[in-house]
Amino acid sequence: MYYVAGALLGLSGLFYSASHNEIGSFGATVCIYGSAFCDNPIYVIAGAGLAAAWGMFVSVR
């Protein structure tokens, strides 16, 4: 789950950058397909936090 949390954190950065037009034409393409996430990248960050919390909850050590 930590890998999923890391991937979601990376995606939230991608959506944030795309919404602020920092990555050029690729950002426009990203926002076409993920407009809800470009408008509110906090949704993806919240998912990353939940995945990390779930990973900590179910980890066996």
Side-chain angles (χ1 to χ4, degrees):
M1 284 311 274
Y2 294 124
Y3 294 116
V4 172
L8 287 173
L9 191 61
L11 283 174
S12 68
L14 173 75
F15 286 124
Y16 179 80
S17 297
S19 67
H20 287 22
N21 298 323
E22 294 178 358
I23 53 177
S25 64
F26 179 67
T29 305
V30 168
C31 283
I32 287 172
Y33 294 111
S35 63
F37 300 122
C38 280
D39 295 338
N40 300 308
I42 194 75
Y43 293 157
V44 184
I45 292 173
L50 288 172
W54 182 256
M56 288 177 15
F57 179 70
V58 298
S59 68
V60 177
R61 293 189 186 229

